[in-house]
């Protein structure tokens, strides 16, 4: 953000502290510092609460103390005389500031942070347990969340800006030097690359080197490439030396003899292989194998003829066995088919039997139902005749026949009902008798079928036994006839074949042994020649390896030259960028230092190798570092000047606290609201003197 943009953003906000109220904060039970927006000097002995005021102010703004420690790391709670925390207290800091109408139409702004303890009582426990703390945030009288509080503060200024403009030591001592350098570059405003390049002709290549990338990105890329090239270059000479050590001296005469030896010996091996192939090709052993094959054919014909003669002698008996088995199968199948047919009829009868039995049971229930109805009807008696209106029985009156008529009518209806029921009963009895007769007929038929099946099962068993006897007799006749046939191996012709085979196999074995001995001698000779060829080839291999290593070394030397050239280019680019940074830093340094009277900044330092290293040191005008020799008065003077310049840059003025002010006799003239803290023996309580000499202590 540029200076102009920054100033416009905060629109010249001037915040002045009017009051700061502490309750149970650190060692202070209750205290109100009233300033009415003016500068002040606060006097007090040690341990009277001066530093607590600074911590309270910073805690209110940043939720940290003057040492930039969070609330968890500094003791903010009130302690008793024994040093123990006093619980169940509210710890709060409240500040009232005057602000421009553009920031708040009321012209004032009140901020407050209040910390309370959280206590919970668990089941079964008599006393509550402390479960940490919680903070309430109030912004201009409105309770808000921590996030909302911080957001509204951020709208006034970021936290780091608040710290830079309220603490004279923050920018020079506590701020990270990279962030400090960034602020100064922002303070210097935009310095165009063209201005820097125009100051040194060596920087003409700078835009081309960046090639559209940021300076940091290009530097990182170049450093990575430089590292990779350096590592590659470092390893190449070792690889060349290693290859040189691998090159063995070979005499050109030895090389020629090796080639001639390989050609001659390979021809000798071909001759030996031809001889071995001739021995393995057949010859005498092939004739013997042919004769053995003919004997195998004679044996096969002899056994075939013998099997044919046995078939002619026993064929009729063997066929008799088959006929007997077929007759058995036909006889059994005939009986079995009858059994299956009867079984099917029996299954149908069982279904019919179930239907008849169900019908009989239904008819029987109907008879029982009608008989019950007749019994109920016979038991019925006439009821007394009653009045339709009062439901009282009529009394017999002399000469009145209505009651007798009623009884007569009842008996007549009862007699008709019984007659009708008797007729239905007769019909039901006849139906029941018919159902019982039909069930008996089905049962009788089923019993007959069962008897027939039983007889057929006996018949099938007898047929099976009869035919098994015939099959057994036929098998025995075949076995007896087969036993009478001669064995082919007992024939003279078969024995002659076996004798001739044995003689031929012995001849073949003797021939094979002699051939193997000859092949073995040739193989041994071949191995000797191969060894000579291998030795000769070793010479050629050494020569080829030497040529390969020499070729590889030439390639490595070319690669080394190329990478070295590339490394020189990369280092030249980095040097150009460093020169640009140096020139730019001079521009910025001169511009920044021109904004200050009593302070200067060192933004880079030269290295022994000619390079430039970024830095950001705060120096007095005498060149002494802020923390390396400046006294307190000089540090205060520098700190206040930095705050004033940065305040003008950001368009923001905030209260400034200066601790240990007793070592500084006089402050530079300033428009800032400065609250100085002075150790003053004799002041047992804090004493406040404002710029108008009024002591405002609550």
């Amino acid at each position: 953000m540029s200076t102009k943009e920054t100033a416009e953003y905060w629109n010249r906000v001037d915040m002045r502290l009017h009051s700061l109220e502490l309750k149970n904060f650190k060692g202070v039970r209750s205290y109100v510092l009233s300033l009415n927006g003016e500068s002040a000097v606060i006097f007090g002995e040690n341990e009277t609460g001066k530093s607590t005021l600074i911590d309270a102010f910073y805690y209110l703004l940043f939720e940290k103390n003057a040492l930039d420690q969070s609330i968890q790391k500094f003791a903010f709670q009130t302690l008793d005389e024994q040093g123990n925390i006093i619980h169940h207290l509210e710890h709060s800091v409240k500040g009232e500031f005057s602000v421009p109408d553009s920031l708040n139409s009321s012209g004032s702004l009140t901020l407050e942070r209040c910390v309370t303890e959280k206590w919970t009582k668990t089941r079964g426990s008599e006393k509550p347990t402390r479960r940490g703390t919680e903070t309430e945030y109030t912004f201009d009288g409105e309770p808000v969340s921590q996030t909302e509080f911080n957001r509204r503060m951020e709208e006034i200024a970021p936290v780091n800006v608040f710290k830079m403009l309220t603490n004279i030591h923050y920018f020079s001592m506590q701020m990270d030097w990279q962030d400090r350098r960034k602020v100064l570059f922002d303070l210097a405003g935009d310095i165009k690359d063209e201005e820097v390049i125009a100051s040194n002709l060596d920087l003409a290549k700078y835009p081309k080197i960046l090639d559209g990338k940021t300076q940091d990105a290009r530097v990182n890329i170049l450093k990575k490439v430089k590292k990779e090239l350096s590592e590659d270059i470092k390893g190449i000479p070792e690889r060349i030396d290693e290859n040189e050590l691998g090159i063995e001296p070979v005499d050109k005469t030895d090389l020629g003899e090796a080639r001639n030896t390989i050609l001659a010996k390979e021809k000798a091996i071909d001759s030996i292989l031809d001889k071995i192939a001739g021995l393995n090709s057949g010859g005498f052993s092939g004739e013997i194998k042919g004769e053995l094959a003919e004997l195998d054919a004679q044996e096969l014909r002899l056994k075939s003829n013998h099997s044919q003669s046995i078939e002619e002698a026993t064929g009729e008996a063997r066929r008799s066995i088959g006929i007997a088995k077929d007759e058995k199968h036909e006889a059994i199948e005939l009986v079995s088919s009858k059994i299956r047919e009867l079984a099917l009829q029996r299954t149908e009868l069982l279904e019919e039997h179930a239907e008849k039995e169900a019908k009989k049971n239904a008819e029987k229930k109907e008879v029982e139902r009608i008989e019950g109805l007749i019994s109920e009807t016979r038991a019925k008696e006439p009821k007394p005749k009653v009045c339709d209106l009062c439901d009282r029985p009529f009394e017999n009156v002399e000469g009145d026949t209505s009651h007798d008529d009623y009884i007569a009518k009842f008996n007549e209806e009862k007699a008709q009902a019984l007659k009708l029921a008797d007729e239905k009963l007769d019909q039901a009895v006849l139906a029941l008798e018919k159902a019982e007769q039909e069930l008996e007929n089905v049962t009788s038929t089923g019993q007959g079928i069962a008897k027939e099946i039983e007889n057929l099962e006996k018949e099938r068993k007898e047929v099976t036994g009869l035919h098994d006897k015939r099959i057994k007799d036929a098998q025995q006749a075949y076995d007896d006839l087969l036993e009478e046939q001669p064995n082919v191996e007992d024939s003279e012709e078969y024995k002659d074949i076996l004798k001739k085979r044995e003689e031929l196999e012995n001849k073949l074995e003797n021939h094979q042994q002699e051939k193997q001995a000859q092949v073995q001698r040739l193989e041994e000779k071949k191995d000797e020649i191969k060894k000579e060829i291998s030795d000769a080839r070793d010479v050629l291999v050494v020569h080829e390896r030497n040529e390969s290593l020499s070729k590889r070394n030439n390639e490595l030397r070319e690669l080394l030259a190329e990478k070295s050239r590339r490394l020189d280019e990369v280092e030249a680019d980095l040097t150009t960028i460093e020169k640009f940074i140096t020139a730019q830093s001079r521009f910025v340094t001169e511009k920044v230092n021109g904004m200050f009277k009593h302070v200067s900044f060192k933004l880079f330092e030269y290295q022994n190798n000619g390079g430039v290293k970024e830095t950001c040191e705060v120096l007095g005008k005498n060149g002494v570092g802020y923390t390396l020799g400046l006294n307190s008065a000089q540090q205060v003077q520098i700190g206040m000047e930095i705050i004033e310049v940065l305040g003008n840059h950001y368009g923001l003025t905030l209260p400034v606290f200066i601790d240990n002010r007793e070592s500084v006799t006089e402050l530079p003239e300033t428009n800032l609201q400065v609250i100085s803290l002075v150790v003053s023996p004799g002041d047992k309580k804090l004493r406040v003197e404002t710029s108008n000499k009024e002591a405002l202590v609550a």
Side-chain angles (χ1 to χ4, degrees):
M1 185 178 293
S2 68
T3 305
K4 180 179 179 182
E5 290 171 340
T6 304
E8 290 177 352
Y9 178 73
W10 279 293
N11 196 21
R12 299 303 306 177
V13 174
D14 185 9
M15 288 184 63
R16 290 182 173 270
L17 181 63
H18 277 239
S19 66
L20 186 68
E21 181 179 354
L22 285 66
K23 288 185 180 180
N24 300 311
F25 187 82
K26 297 182 70 171
V28 177
R29 282 301 190 101
S30 178
Y31 185 84
V32 178
L33 174 64
S34 297
L35 301 175
N36 293 326
E38 302 204 19
S39 297
V41 180
I42 303 175
F43 300 92
E45 291 184 346
N46 291 328
E47 304 298 328
T48 55
K50 297 185 302 300
S51 297
T52 300
L53 291 178
I54 299 180
D55 286 340
F57 177 72
Y58 288 131
Y59 170 73
L60 177 63
L61 296 182
F62 323 124
E63 213 162 12
K64 291 186 177 182
N65 65 2
L67 299 177
D68 210 30
Q69 296 174 324
S70 64
I71 192 172
Q72 291 82 10
K73 293 186 178 180
F74 75 90
F76 68 92
Q77 293 172 303
T78 306
L79 307 179
D80 60 18
E81 294 179 355
Q82 287 74 36
N84 300 317
I85 295 175
I86 302 175
H87 295 294
H88 305 289
L89 296 179
E90 288 187 351
H91 311 275
S92 67
V93 177
K94 180 179 180 181
E96 183 180 351
F97 300 84
S98 61
V99 296
D101 294 343
S102 60
L103 185 63
N104 196 339
S105 59
S106 65
S108 65
L109 176 66
T110 303
L111 305 175
E112 184 177 5
R113 297 182 194 257
C114 180
V115 180
T116 57
E117 294 176 325
K118 292 190 296 185
W119 296 82
T120 58
K121 189 174 182 181
T122 58
R123 182 179 297 177
S125 175
E126 296 182 358
K127 296 182 179 180
T129 303
R130 184 175 179 270
R131 299 295 184 184
T133 61
E134 60 182 356
T135 304
E136 297 177 356
Y137 303 85
T138 304
F139 192 95
D140 204 26
E142 177 187 357
V144 294
S145 66
Q146 180 184 19
T147 302
E148 179 62 18
F149 186 93
N150 293 337
R151 188 192 67 78
R152 294 187 184 184
M153 291 295 292
E154 190 79 14
E155 288 183 348
I156 301 173
V159 171
N160 68 316
V161 174
F162 267 113
K163 291 179 179 179
M164 286 190 290
L165 301 185
T166 57
N167 186 337
I168 60 173
H169 299 298
Y170 179 77
F171 184 82
S172 301
M173 296 179 62
Q174 298 178 10
M175 197 173 189
D176 185 79
W177 72 267
Q178 287 96 339
D179 294 335
R180 185 189 309 137
R181 196 171 191 274
K182 185 177 179 182
V183 170
L184 292 177
F185 270 70
D186 183 42
L187 184 64
D190 293 335
I191 296 177
K192 295 182 179 181
D193 291 352
E194 291 79 3
E195 298 179 43
V196 180
I197 294 171
S199 68
N200 188 340
L201 296 178
D202 293 340
L203 302 179
K205 295 194 306 180
Y206 178 77
K208 185 177 179 181
I209 292 172
L210 293 188
D211 192 24
K213 295 187 179 295
T214 64
Q215 185 187 91
D216 290 342
R218 179 55 65 190
V219 168
N220 290 335
I221 293 172
L222 291 174
K223 286 182 176 179
K224 180 182 178 183
V225 173
K226 179 181 177 180
K227 181 179 179 182
E228 293 172 351
L229 289 171
S230 299
E231 291 176 352
D232 292 344
I233 290 172
K234 181 180 178 181
I236 290 176
E238 295 178 1
R239 292 160 63 187
I240 293 175
D241 292 341
E242 184 180 348
N243 290 341
E244 290 292 343
L245 292 174
I247 297 176
E248 301 177 22
V250 178
D251 194 303
K252 291 184 178 180
T253 303
D254 294 340
L255 188 62
E257 290 180 357
R259 290 194 179 100
N260 294 333
T261 298
I262 292 172
L263 291 173
K265 296 301 180 181
E266 286 180 343
K267 290 181 180 179
I269 286 181
D270 290 340
S271 176
I272 290 174
L273 292 175
D274 290 340
K275 292 179 181 179
I276 293 174
L279 290 171
N280 291 329
S281 64
F284 181 72
S285 62
E287 294 176 1
I288 296 176
K289 290 179 180 178
E291 293 180 15
L292 286 171
E294 179 58 30
L295 286 177
D296 290 339
Q298 291 179 17
E299 181 182 0
L300 183 60
R301 288 194 296 271
L302 179 62
K303 289 183 176 180
S304 177
N305 293 334
H306 181 71
S307 297
Q308 186 176 358
S309 63
I310 291 177
E311 174 61 25
E312 292 174 353
T314 62
E316 186 63 32
R318 182 176 54 78
R319 286 190 291 274
S320 297
I321 295 174
I323 292 171
K325 290 181 178 180
D326 291 341
E327 290 176 348
K328 173 187 175 183
H329 176 73
E330 292 175 359
I332 291 176
E333 178 59 26
L334 180 61
V335 178
S336 298
S337 63
K338 294 179 181 180
I339 293 175
R340 286 195 297 272
E341 184 178 350
L342 290 172
L344 180 60
Q345 294 178 14
R346 182 173 59 182
T347 301
E348 294 174 350
L349 281 173
L350 287 174
E351 295 175 356
E352 185 178 356
H353 182 276
E355 294 176 358
K356 298 297 184 182
E357 187 171 18
K359 183 177 180 182
K360 184 202 75 171
N361 293 334
E363 298 295 348
K364 184 177 181 181
K365 287 183 179 180
E366 179 63 15
V367 169
E368 292 174 350
R369 185 187 70 79
I370 295 173
E371 289 177 344
L373 183 61
I374 292 173
S375 297
E376 291 177 0
T377 303
R378 286 176 177 168
K380 283 184 178 181
E381 294 294 336
K383 295 181 180 180
K385 189 175 181 181
V386 296
C387 177
D388 293 334
L389 297 176
C390 62
D391 204 30
R392 292 176 57 189
F394 286 115
E395 296 179 359
N396 291 328
V397 179
E398 187 176 353
D400 185 4
T401 61
S402 59
H403 181 68
D404 295 335
D405 293 341
Y406 165 71
I407 296 299
K409 184 179 180 181
F410 173 81
N411 290 332
E412 182 182 355
E413 290 176 351
K414 179 178 179 180
Q416 290 178 352
L418 287 174
K419 180 180 179 182
L420 182 60
D422 287 337
E423 291 175 355
K424 289 183 178 180
L425 179 61
D426 292 340
Q427 293 174 359
V429 170
L430 290 176
L432 175 60
E433 291 175 351
K434 180 181 179 182
E436 288 176 343
Q437 184 60 47
E438 290 176 352
L439 179 62
E440 184 178 352
N441 294 339
V442 171
T443 301
S444 176
T445 302
Q447 290 173 349
I449 290 174
K451 185 63 176 176
E452 287 186 55
I453 291 174
E454 182 181 355
N455 294 334
L456 287 171
E457 290 285 358
K458 291 180 180 179
E459 181 181 349
R460 183 165 60 181
K461 184 176 181 181
E462 292 173 356
V463 169
T464 300
L466 176 63
H467 284 278
D468 284 345
K469 177 67 171 58
R470 292 178 182 174
I471 293 171
K472 183 178 179 182
D473 293 342
Q475 183 67 46
Q476 185 62 48
Y478 173 76
D479 292 341
D480 293 342
L481 189 59
L482 191 62
E483 185 69 23
E484 296 173 359
Q485 302 304 312
N487 191 342
V488 68
E489 295 180 357
D490 295 333
S491 66
E492 292 298 326
E493 185 178 1
Y494 184 79
K495 291 178 181 179
D496 185 53
I497 290 173
L498 292 180
K499 182 178 179 182
K500 289 180 179 180
R501 178 184 284 121
E502 183 178 2
E503 292 173 354
L504 289 172
E505 287 175 347
N506 289 335
K507 284 182 181 181
L508 181 61
E509 183 179 358
N510 293 333
H511 176 72
Q512 292 286 1
Q513 290 176 353
E514 176 59 26
K515 184 182 72 173
Q516 288 176 359
Q518 293 180 31
V519 171
Q520 179 65 30
R521 289 191 292 271
L522 290 171
E523 290 286 352
E524 291 173 356
K525 181 63 177 175
K526 183 181 71 172
D527 291 340
E528 292 174 2
I529 296 174
K530 280 187 175 181
K531 178 65 170 61
E532 295 175 7
I533 293 175
S534 176
D535 293 340
R537 281 180 174 162
D538 287 343
V539 175
L540 295 181
V541 169
V542 170
H543 174 69
E544 292 173 356
R545 185 171 65 246
N546 289 347
E547 288 186 341
S548 175
L549 291 174
S550 297
K551 180 180 179 182
R552 181 57 183 155
N553 276 353
N554 291 334
E555 294 172 350
L556 288 173
R557 290 186 181 96
E558 292 176 0
L559 181 63
L560 178 60
E562 172 61 24
K563 287 186 177 292
S564 298
R565 182 191 63 77
R566 177 63 182 139
L567 180 60
D568 291 341
E569 292 177 353
V570 170
E571 289 178 339
D573 289 347
L574 286 171
T575 300
T576 300
I577 294 175
E578 288 176 354
K579 288 181 179 180
F580 180 87
I581 294 172
T582 302
Q584 186 185 50
S585 297
R586 285 198 181 102
F587 269 83
V588 175
T589 301
E590 291 172 1
K591 190 169 183 179
V592 169
N593 288 340
M595 298 178 180
F596 296 87
K597 294 180 179 180
H598 304 95
V599 60
S600 62
F601 298 94
K602 182 179 180 182
L603 300 180
F604 67 94
E605 59 184 20
Y606 291 105
Q607 303 293 299
N608 293 331
N609 59 6
V612 177
K613 179 181 178 182
E614 293 183 355
T615 185
C616 187
E617 295 183 23
V618 182
L619 308 173
K621 281 299 183 182
N622 56 3
V624 178
Y626 188 86
T627 60
L628 300 177
L630 295 180
N631 57 39
S632 297
Q634 291 172 320
Q635 288 182 342
V636 169
Q637 186 181 46
I638 289 173
M640 289 186 64
E641 184 177 7
I642 290 173
I643 288 176
E644 283 189 327
V645 173
L646 292 178
N648 291 332
H649 171 64
Y650 292 119
L652 180 65
T653 303
L654 296 172
V656 179
F657 276 80
I658 302 177
D659 200 4
N660 299 317
R661 165 67 200 286
E662 64 274 2
S663 60
V664 182
T665 58
E666 185 177 355
L667 294 179
E669 186 177 348
T670 180
N671 291 323
L672 299 173
Q673 181 187 15
V674 179
I675 298 114
S676 302
L677 305 175
V678 178
V679 176
S680 173
D683 285 310
K684 303 297 183 181
K685 294 183 178 181
L686 295 181
R687 176 170 56 87
V688 181
E689 290 185 3
T690 62
S691 55
N692 60 9
K693 306 302 181 181
E694 294 178 357
L696 304 173
V697 182

